[in-house]
Amino acid sequence: MHRTTREPLRDMEKNNKSKNRREFLQSGVRLSLALALGGVSGLSLSKAIKDDYVWQIDPFACTQCGRCATECVLNPSAVKCVHAYDLCGYCDLCGGYLKPDSNARTTAAENQLCPTAAIERKFIEEPYFEYHINEDLCIGCAKCVKGCTSFGNGSLHLQIIHDICLNCNECSIARMCPSDAIKRVKASEAYNIKGDWTKPTI
Amino acid sequence: MKKLKYILYTFAFLLLTVSVYAQQQRFPKPEFDSGYTQPSTITPEPRALQLEYFDVLILAIFLAVASYLIIKKRSRRGILWLSVLALLYFGFYRNGCICSIGAIQNVTLSFFDATYAVSITALLFFVLPLIVTLFYGRTFCAGVCPLGAIQDLVIIKPLSLPKWLNKTLGLIPYVYLSLAVLFAATGTDFIICRYDPFIGIFRMDAKALMIILGVAMLLMGMFIGRPYCRFLCPYGVLLSWMSRFSKRHLTITPSECIQCKLCSKSCPFDAIDYPTNEKEVVKSGLGPKRFITYALIIPLWIAAGVFVGVKSHTFLSKANPDVYLAELLISQPEVKNDPDNIDVQTFLASGKSMETLVEEAEVIQDKFYTGSMIAGGFLGLVIGMTLLNTVVFRKRQDYEPHKGNCYSCGRCMDYCPVEK
Amino acid sequence: MELKDKIKLSQNVAVFSGIFCVTVALLLLLNFWQMSKSDPTESKVIEALVERLKQEPNNEELKAEIRNFDLLARKAYFNSQWQVKTGAYLLLFGAIVLALALRYYYSLKSKIEVPDTQHENEIASRILAQKGIIIVGALVLVLGLGASFATVNHLNYYDAENSVAQAVPTPEEEGIEVIEVGENVEEADTKSEQEQALQEPTPEQSQPVETSAEKEVDSGVNENEEKVVKKTEPKPSTAATSNNFFAEIRKNYNSFRGPLAQGISYSKNIPTEWDGTAGTNVVWKSPIPKHGFNSPVIWGDKIFIAGADASSREIYCYSRADGKLLWTAKADNIQGSPSSMPRVTPDTGLSASTLTTDGKRVYAIFATGDVVAFDMNGNRVWAKNLGVPENHYGHSSSLITWTNKLFVQFDTNRGGKVIALEAATGNTAWETVRQSKISWASPVLAEVDGKYQLVLTADPIVAGYDVETGKELWSVDCMMGEVGPSVAYSDGIVVAANEYARMVAIDIKTGETLWEDDMYLPEASSPVAYNGLLFIATSYGVIVCYDLKTGEEYWEDDTGSAIYSSPTIADGKMYLMDNDGVMRIYECSKEMKKISENELGETAGTTPAYMDGYIYIRGENNLYCIGK
């Protein structure tokens, strides 16, 4: 492997040349990649919003199918029932609290609609009762919501509770929701609490 | 002016009261005599926006530190601890969401869905690692990505995979990427997030199947270094492009390679290129002739890809829930009587007509037509280029990291006996 | 510690933590399996027990058992959740220890490996890689292609199925424009008709006068037809068909609450005195095989009613002359019909919707969502299922037909829509989604400037729809609750009302609310407007007469009995049946003048039909023909 002194020199020259060429090419490509990146981000930046998104249920679109309880990546689900007290009729015969044709209007297990006894019924004054959701127990099965919407004012409804929700990039309930009731909303308006019996038409 | 405002307000107030009155509820709210005060509905705030920006800050800091540790400090130990921190923060604390890999889909969707605007945090999570990679190589993979970190930490006895297997399996991320972009663009699904194998571990909660997948991936990762990063990660494809042309990249040796070959076994990811043996190359006949052949058939690959893409668009579009529902209702009208089929029953009750559903499905299918055509063409191009790459020989005298595939974990630096 | 000891220690730790991990994982799997079995939301046991409790409402033991079960189920559920959480953390902890121990173990054991003297043959591996890439690339493409060939694009099959339905309505849509040509003529004619109706004879009027009046009306209609036909000679116009059709149906009593469903019968000489128990003025009485709350409809010499129970749904055709049951037709074997009956309450039943007929066919809908059409001889023409209407009492909106369409108000718990079916084929002509919730009211046809529209009421909107296109022409957000009464319509004023809500009079052209009131409100009975007066009947038996234009109350009469049936104007008088089978007849005037009170001798909640000097009443079990 003895080489003459001239050959390595030439080799080196050649190497240098190709190296230079390669470096030039590389920086060219780098530049174009950087430009492409800049273009992509610039384009989406033109639409980007400062606010963040969170997922939320539109209670007027919800059909109470019960998937919120089963499709969430969390167990129990981050979807819970909330109570829009403004809308509540404080009924004694509550379609959300009592099973249909319930045996008696009491808190006994055989009369309660909620499978986890998450609704607390409190007497206020004749003939009114307050219903309060214990969120630690609620599993978001929507049974009470169905009852309240069919027979009552619909003051009980489902919402994604944001201190539990992980805010997945793609909400797995939203994908499975048969009525497309779960949408991205701005984090600054993170809840759709029912204020009225019908959907506000704005 | 003030007066006008006042009048307007009164008017608005009147309108409001009228409309409230018009939409009375079934059972009006009672008026209580007992002085009962109504409790307020509990609405815990979502994570503060500042904290989201804090995540971006953390990301930027981690990227800077990782690059510094790899390029300047050359510290394997440092990058190891950084990756542990990243795993704890982005993995277990932030539950693996938000991540740069998933952000691909957000950026894609923002291009194709007029109603969706990407949030700045998601955009930054997508762009920052790519920019840093363009300058310093894939330091993101080494010290910032929680998915990379969890796999890197479980590597125990990595086996070296033969080159052909590495290359062929290396095609999968491209398929994954094109599908992910296709599904995100058509508003069908975020498959990267849905099939993230480690997110269940980060959250300590997931569907059983995903947990099993994650654990299996980790078990496999004990012997095959970073299986997800190498053979699945769609973001890795983009990072690899950037890294190939990075301005500065990790080097195995701080100065001159002494050809000691000590590093050759150090890389768990088979990302070290050996010096080329020119004689063999000349002998092999993998010369310019084959290069030209492969270069010429690239258009053929692309054409084949486009053809297959166009052909399979109906198949792919079935992943879309709307298309699926429309097809189900057409092909099996008897499902209308299945009271347990929630989707069908909800659709029937929604009052939406079949025509509208089918029209919507057709629009989505059209999107899939274009999308899968492009995706197919892209895949064809990738196959052709990868093939072409196998006959390109770069002259190398030393042991060098493969700039595209190297995760900059710094193991090889540890092995190098050369002092600065 | 010696190196050996360290190796041993780490090895032991690894083994232990490994065993620990595997155990925890197995326990978790077991827990998972258990959890999937005991879901508190779907507890079959409790469900069954509660069902049993309904049968024995005072069984204290059973109650105790349910409570126990419920407690256990909830305990199990929350316990297993706690277990999963704890288990997961334990597993994570074990895995971390295992990983650390293993790493330590291998790092102690590992030596710097001797580099291979021989590398993997670069060239050979590249050639292999080429093969691999080609094979995998081709495989991906072939798989894609294979999948594409294996899948069917079902969307392509959609148009073929529906091309028929879509092709039919087109020619008529073209005809719509023509209406404007004949508009003035029509308006004038209808006015004259109304005038005639107003001048229509009082009960004392005799037969010959009445027939001449009818003739007049008929000839008027004929003239009207001729005029319109002349004006629109080139094409058959919608206006002309409308007029023809109206002329036809006003001779009959083809829908719930009469032609156009406005609660007005155009027949004369309706009896005012009878006695069902004594048989006075009862022409015939005929038993009804199956129960139903639908009211009789009449075409020519045939009367149609329907009945249903859990086993079958039937349509009956009776002879007007002698009450003979001419034929019975079953609504069975309908594709898409549910195998088990939907849950309905006994006061609504499976067959609460009244039939309708256009003289060619008779149409029926049941609580199952089955719509079926028979020809006048009882042969089935078509049948389809619209999907089971989700309705907690039972679907009760009646059908109505206009020219060649059949309209279905399909307001269910899942939202509202109105559907027009091609009368001849049953194919959907149009379908309009309504911003409404459930309702039990029935559609009413209203004529505005020569064009007919369908007026529907529901929670929360009262709205009008173009009969040809289904376009929502107007909508007023004013109703609420469980709307049972249909609207009243007269003189361009729509009146909608519902118990616990309000009564609203709406100008049909402007959508403006003319007046509203909530003193007396009907629950099931529909209001009727006639001659500037409005009549309502509350469920607790108060009959109230208002001024249609101002809402001023003229009189009220507390009968003290429940009323679900709707007041009907026949022969210029107001007829109203209560639930006990007593029919009260009042004069249509600003002062309360009760003409008579007649007992049927059988309970009746349906609305009778009035035609050609006879009243046809559906009692609980019998169909009556009242007349001389």
Side-chain angles (χ1 to χ4, degrees), chain C residues 27-241:
Chain C
L27 282 174
L28 274 176
L29 276 180
L30 188 75
N31 190 293
F32 176 75
W33 177 69
Q34 254 181 348
M35 229 162 109
S36 62
K37 269 180 52 179
S38 70
D39 182 358
T41 57
E42 301 291 337
S43 172
K44 292 273 178 299
V45 187
I46 294 182
E47 240 170 66
L49 286 176
V50 169
E51 256 335 285
R52 238 180 74 197
L53 187 69
K54 273 182 195 163
Q55 261 114 59
E56 328 163 29
N58 296 317
N59 190 340
E60 291 303 320
E61 239 173 76
L62 196 58
K63 285 184 194 169
E65 199 180 338
I66 295 176
R67 286 170 203 172
N68 271 337
F69 247 113
D70 176 71
L71 192 66
L72 277 179
R74 281 189 287 134
K75 235 185 198 164
Y77 178 73
F78 284 108
N79 258 346
S80 63
Q81 270 191 357
W82 177 84
Q83 281 162 3
V84 166
K85 275 248 144 69
T86 327
Y89 278 105
L90 283 177
L91 192 63
L92 182 73
F93 172 73
I96 291 171
V97 173
L98 177 69
L100 286 179
L102 279 177
R103 277 187 77 104
Y104 190 58
Y105 173 73
Y106 277 107
S107 69
L108 288 179
K109 268 190 87 175
S110 72
K111 300 160 256 171
I112 288 187
E113 284 168 72
V114 182
D116 292 345
T117 40
Q118 202 72 44
H119 287 145
E120 181 186 14
N121 187 330
E122 173 87 16
I123 302 301
S125 76
R126 279 190 183 223
I127 289 171
L128 257 180
Q130 283 168 16
K131 280 182 189 158
I133 290 163
I134 292 174
I135 290 169
V136 168
L139 202 69
V140 168
L141 297 182
V142 166
L143 274 180
L145 211 58
S148 72
F149 281 118
T151 50
V152 186
N153 187 358
H154 294 293
L155 292 185
N156 288 343
Y157 294 97
Y158 181 68
D159 290 332
E161 274 172 40
N162 285 270
S163 55
V164 186
Q166 280 163 358
V168 180
T170 350
E172 281 154 289
E173 277 165 21
E174 284 167 14
I176 293 174
E177 291 169 15
V178 187
I179 298 171
E180 273 148 25
V181 186
E183 201 174 64
N184 295 328
V185 182
E186 255 211 70
E187 205 173 20
D189 276 341
T190 39
K191 257 189 197 150
S192 71
E193 271 167 31
Q194 272 167 0
E195 274 159 28
Q196 275 167 4
L198 299 191
Q199 290 156 9
E200 242 140 38
T202 39
E204 288 82 25
Q205 219 151 5
S206 58
Q207 190 77 21
V209 181
E210 182 255 316
T211 37
S212 70
E214 205 168 41
K215 267 181 196 161
E216 265 176 47
V217 173
D218 279 351
S219 62
V221 171
N222 287 337
E223 273 170 37
N224 182 1
E225 271 165 41
E226 277 164 25
K227 278 177 204 163
V228 177
V229 170
K230 261 181 225 159
K231 291 224 169 192
T232 61
E233 242 167 359
K235 294 186 238 177
S237 83
T238 324
T241 21

Side-chain angles (χ1 to χ4, degrees), chain C residues 476-501:
Chain C
V476 179
D477 199 330
C478 62
M479 266 308 117
M480 64 212 91
E482 301 183 331
V483 180
S486 314
V487 300
Y489 177 73
S490 176
D491 289 349
I493 299 173
V494 172
V495 181
N498 186 33
E499 195 166 41
Y500 305 124

